[in-house]
Amino acid sequence: MAVSQPKLEGAANLAAHFTVPTGAKWANDTRANALSVFNAQGAPHKRDEYWRYTDPSALTAVPTAPAALFSNDEAPMFDGIDRVRVVFVDGIFDADQSDDLTLSGANIETLADVTGADIHWAKDLYGQLEANGQNPVQRPLAALNTAVADQGLVIHVTAKCEKPLAIRYVHSNENSDAVVHHVIKIDEGAEFTLLESGAGAARFNSVLEVDVADTAQFHHVRTQGRDHERKTVTHMFGRLGRESVLRSFTMTVNGVLTRNDAVLEFTGDDAQATVAGACAGDGTGFHHDDTVFVTHDSVNCESRQVFKKVLRNGATGVFQGKILVKEDAQKTDGYQISQGLLLDDNSNFLAKPELEIYADDVACSHGSTVGAIDDDALFYLISRGVPRKQAQDMLVLAFLAEAIEEIDNEELAEDILNRLAAWMERR
Amino acid sequence: MLNIKNLQVGLEEEEKQILKGVDLNIGEGEVHAIMGPNGSGKSTTSYVLAGKDGYEVTGGSATLNGEELLDMEPEERAAAGLFLAFQYPVEIPGVGNMTFLRTAVNAQRKARGEEELSAGEFLKEVRAKAKSLKIDADMLKRPVNVGFSGGEKKRNEILQMAMLEPKMCVLDETDSGLDVDAMKLVAEGVNALRDGKRSFLVITHYQRLLDHIKPDVVHIMADGKIVKTGGPELALEVENNGYADILAEVA
Ligand SMILES: Nc1ncnc2c1ncn2[C@@H]1O[C@H](COP(=O)(O)OP(=O)(O)O)[C@@H](O)[C@H]1O
Ligand SMILES: [Mg+2]
């Protein structure tokens, strides 16, 4: 099908708005290819099948609309956790605010630092999982990211890391338009935990490519920043080797537009992946979209998608989740649940769960529900003396907790839960 | 303690009168029982006292120590000292039993201007009380009533009552679905709370609970009204002859 003129023009405008870095010989071809993919695909448009529930125009507008800065007195996320801290301000690595990039078990570089190199191991990963993930569904904003990003981290994990790496994305300029691209290669048997927090910019486009080798583990916990007017599009591309583990959790509150894509592929047997999200949206300006595509192409792997969204005052939540089980991916266990909790009649939860299965010996299940607070449960709590608002918050937290429980680390899960509880208490 | 005068209640959603002028006076330290056929309005009475949505009070009043309950929010009624042990305790996934109980205890204390219990004090108290009701540590940790057996749910109601130390306890068919041992345990839990000041309204179908929780006064409710009031012997009469004779007599 011919690509429509507005899409092509949208792509040309965006491409012209950014610059393709040219310093790094190892990345030049990848970037050039990604740019031509992007130009050929065109910018995403709300008439695209994959953007049916989410209008991407705020993500493609040139220049981006500004976003007011959000400030409050609460401690930065993950502050209480022993970690290596890295700060990006409006999408640009800030060495002064960051710790030394030393973590035993991992070699951490910035994309900007390796940009001058002629050869680098990252050549085999940067833009590669992203390129694989362009099929069967086009992801133009990820291609754009690969083409123009010159900020991000390049991480090679060779052993089990004792502490997590925590990236904090600071939004300090109302007009910032950031593109960040991380690649993480986790060797056989190695383990790595990535924490991310913050809005990052007025408009933030991030790509994370993670290659999880045989028996390796990747843990990922992210909170997306509370700046009300921020626009965010993220893509996580993951490849899972034999007996590997990938667990990713995202918490989102506020933000006019958030689109989180997760694209995972099982290439080795007996691996496990979880993608989970908890989201609380308030107001007609809030639109949050989780789009997940999991491909099973090996035997006896387990995937879980667990998404919970609490919505009120006209907020919109979207979930598009797909499990593709290829012909030889026998004994696949695919699970998918998405639930919307609507606190009023003005809010919306839209879900499109999909299973596409070509193997015959699989156990896949999916469910999607949308509902309101259970009046009987609410009355039960109130009748014991818990004030109505507090009782409602307890039920909302209980609802979200089922997604938070997917985090494999109790300390982090509790941190997230406490943070959510505190936010609810404030409003 | 609790004074209900000519209480008339309908449904909010449809044209239906359920309570047609209920009068009930329970003094300090007294135990009253309400018996009556299914659908006579016993649970409705307890829900309206506790402040559940969906009912419309069309007349009458209900005061607790002189304060009008019907004007209060449900949580205010609880803080004022009213407790309802539900006929069907609700399962609440995701809310831990202990968290819930501690939140409730401290919310009531706060509402009354008292100091909140520390985590340590609370834990000590809840453990002791749970033990006497044979509620194990695992049940305390689980989400509220989730996966509890019928008997466990009812014991959990009594535990909440013991922790919240209300002035006026309303028990709606706390004996239903319990075997004899479980019922004894529940009755012991209730009796342990009898201190001469605390009052009880026990709604039940069966005399057997009243063997264990001895009532001072027994009322028979039928078709939205108290139709007969007497001593403990009234419960025995119901047990032996059913409601037919009593209803015929008052008709
Ligand atoms: N929320 C409700 N909606 C419809 N009917 C109700 C509702 N609550 C009570 N009723 C009706 O009111 C009558 C009394 O019910 P209830 O108080 O539960 O009786 P009891 O507890 O004595 O068995 C019954 O006919 C019942 O069907
Ligand atoms: Mg009843």
Side-chain angles (χ1 to χ4, degrees), chain A residues 76-77 85-89 97 166-170 195-197:
Chain A
M77 201 70 217
R85 175 183 134 122
V86 178
V87 177
F88 284 79
V89 178
Q97 293 194 61
I167 306 178
R168 187 163 160 233
Y169 302 109
V170 177
L195 311 176
E196 296 181 278
S197 65

Side-chain angles (χ1 to χ4, degrees), chain A residues 168-401:
Chain A
R168 187 163 160 233
Y169 302 109
V170 177
H171 171 205
S172 84
N173 177 330
E174 288 196 353
N175 297 298
S176 53
D177 197 358
V179 180
V180 172
H181 194 126
H182 306 300
V183 291
I184 305 175
K185 177 176 160 61
I186 309 178
D187 286 351
E188 217 173 296
E191 284 184 40
F192 184 68
T193 299
L194 175 67
L195 311 176
E196 296 181 278
S197 65
R203 180 164 67 188
F204 190 67
N205 176 340
S206 89
V207 166
L208 166 65
E209 293 178 279
V210 56
D211 186 83
V212 192
D214 294 352
T215 68
Q217 295 200 12
F218 177 60
H219 298 269
H220 180 218
V221 177
R222 165 170 73 171
T223 63
Q224 293 196 287
R226 297 171 63 200
D227 306 40
H228 291 276
E229 293 161 0
R230 68 161 175 79
K231 295 151 293 280
T232 305
V233 55
T234 76
H235 289 84
M236 174 175 67
F237 297 94
R239 184 199 71 87
L240 285 102
R242 177 181 50 82
E243 290 172 51
S244 66
V245 172
L246 180 152
R247 288 190 200 285
S248 176
F249 170 86
T250 301
M251 175 169 72
T252 312
V253 290
N254 302 353
V256 277
L257 180 57
T258 308
R259 164 77 171 235
N260 294 326
D261 275 41
V263 184
L264 302 181
E265 182 164 16
F266 289 97
T267 62
D269 299 344
D270 308 312
Q272 291 176 33
T274 302
V275 199
C279 145
D282 191 353
T284 46
F286 180 92
H287 187 108
H288 180 89
D289 177 339
D290 282 297
T291 293
V292 180
F293 198 116
V294 177
T295 304
H296 284 265
D297 198 9
S298 53
V299 176
N300 194 36
C301 291
E302 184 190 341
S303 69
R304 294 172 63 80
Q305 302 173 34
V306 181
F307 288 90
K308 298 264 188 167
K309 298 176 203 275
V310 183
L311 304 161
R312 67 171 191 180
N313 294 329
T316 301
V318 175
F319 173 73
Q320 306 187 92
K322 177 151 181 171
I323 306 175
L324 169 63
V325 182
K326 293 202 175 168
E327 207 175 333
D328 295 325
Q330 302 296 1
K331 304 238 182 303
T332 288
D333 182 355
Y335 175 76
Q336 183 192 80
I337 180 97
S338 64
Q339 297 186 307
L341 177 64
L342 307 183
L343 300 186
D344 54 49
D345 295 337
N346 303 325
S347 303
N348 280 299
F349 177 65
L350 308 162
K352 187 181 171 198
E354 279 183 289
L355 297 177
E356 193 177 328
I357 301 174
Y358 297 101
D360 44 30
D361 182 16
V362 301
C364 283
S365 64
H366 65 122
S368 184
T369 65
V370 52
I373 290 269
D374 177 351
D375 282 338
D376 288 332
L378 189 65
F379 178 64
Y380 191 80
L381 297 177
I382 295 174
S383 78
R384 297 298 182 247
V386 181
R388 181 174 292 269
K389 185 182 170 300
Q390 199 181 349
Q392 178 158 327
D393 287 353
M394 282 174 88
L395 293 176
V396 166
L397 273 181
F399 170 80
L400 295 177

Side-chain angles (χ1 to χ4, degrees), chain B residues 38 42-44 87 172-173 203:
Chain B
N38 270 330
K42 304 183 298 293
S43 289
T44 302
Q87 180 172 359
D172 190 3
E173 299 210 18
I203 297 171

Side-chain angles (χ1 to χ4, degrees), chain B residues 10-14 16-19 34-47 52-55 87-88 172-173 203 205 221 223-224:
Chain B
L11 287 175
E12 232 165 41
E13 302 264 299
E14 53 183 295
K16 181 175 178 181
Q17 199 66 22
I18 301 176
L19 301 186
I34 297 187
M35 303 180 81
N38 270 330
S40 56
K42 304 183 298 293
S43 289
T44 302
T45 305
S46 71
Y47 284 147
K52 192 174 176 155
D53 285 341
Y55 299 100
Q87 180 172 359
Y88 303 108
D172 190 3
E173 299 210 18
I203 297 171
H205 267 299
M221 180 176 262
D223 193 22

Side-chain angles (χ1 to χ4, degrees), chain B residues 12-98:
Chain B
E12 232 165 41
E13 302 264 299
E14 53 183 295
E15 201 65 33
K16 181 175 178 181
Q17 199 66 22
I18 301 176
L19 301 186
K20 301 169 179 172
V22 172
D23 287 285
L24 199 63
N25 293 293
I26 304 176
E28 190 177 275
E30 290 179 2
V31 176
H32 288 221
I34 297 187
M35 303 180 81
N38 270 330
S40 56
K42 304 183 298 293
S43 289
T44 302
T45 305
S46 71
Y47 284 147
V48 169
L49 288 175
K52 192 174 176 155
D53 285 341
Y55 299 100
E56 194 187 346
V57 177
T58 52
S61 75
T63 58
L64 184 66
N65 292 328
E67 278 186 282
E68 181 56 74
L69 285 174
L70 303 178
D71 293 341
M72 296 184 205
E73 293 299 324
E75 65 267 34
E76 294 169 339
R77 302 178 196 205
L82 181 76
F83 180 92
L84 168 61
F86 284 75
Q87 180 172 359
Y88 303 108
V90 185
E91 297 190 8
I92 313 183
V95 176
N97 213 11
M98 286 276 251

